[in-house]
């Protein structure tokens, strides 16, 4: 066993500036359709979006991974929508189940 003491790091002590991506200032979505229209390929760069989520909400690796995957799927699914169309992601039930696991009420 190690005798070193572990110090708790608060979010105020973290230098969030290191996570800003200075090389890619704008995230992008790319789409391509095959000549006969049979295949559509969509790719997205969302690093800045995910970094901004992490900074704004002071998230660590696991929650930002989940939120980043959700945001990426949302961007890809909503790509190509018309102006009057709306895409909404709701995570209320998922959050409630996570809270039950955290607080141990799911066993009752």
């Amino acid at each position: 066993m190690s005798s070193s003491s572990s110090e708790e790091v608060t979010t105020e002590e973290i230098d969030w500036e290191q996570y800003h991506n200075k090389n890619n200032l704008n995230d992008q979505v790319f789409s391509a359709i095959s000549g006969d229209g049979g295949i559509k390929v969509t790719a997205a760069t969302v690093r800045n979006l995910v970094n901004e989520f992490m900074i704004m909400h002071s998230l660590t690796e696991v929650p930002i991974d989940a939120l980043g995957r959700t945001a990426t799927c949302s961007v890809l699914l909503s790509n190509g929508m018309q102006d009057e169309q709306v895409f909404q992601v709701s995570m209320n039930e998922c959050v409630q189940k996570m809270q039950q696991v955290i607080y141990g009420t799911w066993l009752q």
Side-chain angles (χ1 to χ4, degrees), residues 63 94-107:
C94 180
V95 171
Q96 290 172 353
K97 289 184 181 187
M98 286 190 298
Q99 288 173 339
Q100 289 175 352
V101 171
I102 291 170
Y103 298 119
T105 57
W106 62 279
L107 294 174

Side-chain angles (χ1 to χ4, degrees), residues 23-40:
N23 297 323
N24 181 15
L25 299 177
N26 297 313
D27 291 328
Q28 300 176 3
V29 178
F30 302 97
S31 293
I33 300 176
S34 64
D36 63 356
I39 298 173
K40 177 182 178 186

Side-chain angles (χ1 to χ4, degrees), residues 72 76 94:
T72 302
L76 292 174
C94 180

Side-chain angles (χ1 to χ4, degrees), residues 31-51:
S31 293
I33 300 176
S34 64
D36 63 356
I39 298 173
K40 177 182 178 186
V41 176
T42 304
T45 59
V46 293
R47 180 176 178 183
N48 289 315
L49 176 67
V50 174
N51 282 347

